[in-house]
Amino acid sequence: MPWLLSGLGLVILLFAGDALVKGAVNLSLRLGVPALIVSLTIVAFGTSAPELLISVKAVLDNVPGLALGNVVGSNTANILLVLGVPALLAVMHTSECSTRKTYNQMIAASLLFIALAFRGVFDWIAGLVLLGGLAYMLYDAFDDAKDHRRAERAGAEDDLEEPEGADPNMAGWQIALFLILGLIGLPLGASLLVENATIIAQTYGVSDTVIGLTLVAVGTSLPELATTVMAALRRQADVALGNVIGSNMFNLLAIIGIASLVGPISVDPSFLRFDLWVMLAASLLLIPFVYLRRDITRLWGIALSALYGLYIVVILI
């Protein structure tokens, strides 16, 4: 039953997060908020809502390993699994992408996160530092987006895509329904998943950290996996790579930044010895695709997926 309820909680989280994004995006556009600002704020935070609710719930329930495991495990899964599996289906032409700046920011966020972890606890001080990094990242992204928009206007073009979930024809009652479903579903799904994942950990004698690094991390990476698979099939490598890099930065800076303001998150020594370095090593594996402009071929897909499988085996053993 705990496995079934955990799965149910995960499904509710995924659908509720999607509903919240759709409702918030269309409400904001209906109120006249520019699509540019919606894309950089509401969509970004909305797609991270499941991870955020899980981490906050874990802190309140005094299972900090689940909160940290969720973030660190998701970041590792995002690179090895979320980029590896789609590459098995279609070559991702990342040689055409220009993601150096955001990639450098992701590495900087990872190093900052690891440095703070060696303090032994993510308290309110660490939380404010992480959120300060998030504020800088959002400001920089917003500034770049404004420059991009000005350049398009100067060239008599305006092909900036609408934010994800935007629907000009959505009725007011549909917007309200999406918001209600999202706001009710997210805490419900988080509660189901965290409580039953903890029961599973106790039943099988594994730590809440391991459950966070495996079951919860893979589950919350499913939306990114689905998005990246579709992007790979549509030959939109920039969407796939940008999705992973952006998600990882938000996980590190926003999720733990906010959760640590709710309550202190102690760092298990196993994170300092192994998991944080695996996360960093996985991030550095992107160097050939970002700096050397290599495509993520099927061979790379096999290698990345195999490395993730090996990582899971090592954790469970």
Side-chain angles (χ1 to χ4, degrees):
M1 186 60 75
W3 285 97
L4 184 62
L5 291 175
S6 292
L8 177 61
L10 180 59
V11 170
I12 292 174
L13 271 174
L14 300 183
F15 278 103
D18 185 57
L20 183 62
V21 168
K22 287 181 179 178
V25 164
N26 287 286
L27 176 62
S28 300
L29 296 179
R30 183 72 65 89
L31 295 175
V33 178
L36 183 64
I37 297 177
V38 174
S39 295
L40 290 172
T41 54
I42 294 172
V43 173
F45 277 107
T47 52
S48 295
E51 287 95 331
L52 175 61
L53 265 292
I54 287 171
S55 295
V56 169
K57 176 67 176 173
V59 172
L60 293 175
D61 288 353
N62 198 31
V63 279
L66 199 63
L68 274 182
N70 174 35
V71 166
V72 175
S74 287
N75 277 25
T76 303
N78 279 349
I79 294 172
L80 300 181
L81 191 66
V82 172
L83 288 179
V85 171
L88 298 176
L89 305 176
V91 175
M92 289 194 283
H93 297 280
T94 45
S95 58
E96 304 167 2
C97 305
S98 179
T99 54
R100 287 189 181 184
K101 185 175 182 179
T102 51
Y103 175 72
N104 289 340
Q105 290 176 342
M106 186 192 78
I107 294 297
S110 300
L111 292 174
L112 174 63
F113 186 86
I114 291 172
L116 291 172
F118 271 89
R119 296 174 66 246
V121 62
F122 284 94
D123 52 12
W124 66 271
I125 297 174
L128 291 179
V129 171
L130 291 172
L131 291 175
L134 176 67
Y136 170 78
M137 184 198 77
L138 287 175
Y139 172 80
D140 188 62
F142 181 64
D143 199 47
D144 284 349
K146 284 197 300 183
D147 290 342
H148 177 69
R149 174 61 70 88
R150 280 195 294 266
E152 283 185 335
R153 285 175 175 168
E157 295 180 16
D158 191 8
D159 59 355
L160 194 68
E161 293 183 3
E162 286 290 299
E164 179 184 343
D167 180 5
N169 300 316
M170 184 175 290
W173 68 267
Q174 288 179 301
I175 295 175
L177 180 61
F178 277 127
L179 288 172
I180 292 170
L181 289 176
L183 293 172
I184 293 176
L186 281 172
L188 174 62
S191 180
L192 276 173
L193 182 56
V194 171
E195 290 174 8
N196 287 281
T198 305
I199 293 173
I200 292 171
Q202 294 170 345
T203 302
Y204 289 92
V206 297
S207 66
D208 52 286
T209 298
V210 170
I211 293 296
L213 287 166
T214 53
L215 172 67
V216 178
V218 172
T220 54
S221 291
L222 289 179
E224 286 88 350
L225 179 59
T227 301
T228 308
V229 166
M230 294 308 299
L233 294 176
R234 293 170 182 165
R235 300 176 64 86
Q236 296 173 322
D238 55 335
V239 174
L241 198 56
N243 176 43
V244 166
I245 292 173
S247 176
N248 279 15
M249 283 196 291
F250 263 86
N251 281 348
L252 294 172
L253 301 176
I255 306 304
I256 295 300
I258 294 173
S260 59
L261 296 182
V262 175
I265 305 172
S266 58
V267 180
D268 190 293
S270 63
F271 279 104
L272 304 178
R273 290 193 303 267
F274 183 64
D275 300 295
L276 289 174
W277 304 112
V278 171
M279 179 189 75
L280 181 61
S283 300
L284 294 175
L285 284 177
L286 295 182
I287 287 177
F289 315 123
V290 174
Y291 277 96
L292 304 181
R293 296 296 183 91
R294 299 288 178 84
D295 291 332
I296 305 180
T297 62
R298 286 184 173 87
L299 189 60
W300 271 107
I302 293 171
L304 292 173
S305 301
L307 283 173
Y308 187 71
L310 178 62
Y311 171 61
I312 293 297
V313 169
V314 170
I315 289 177
L316 294 177
I317 290 177

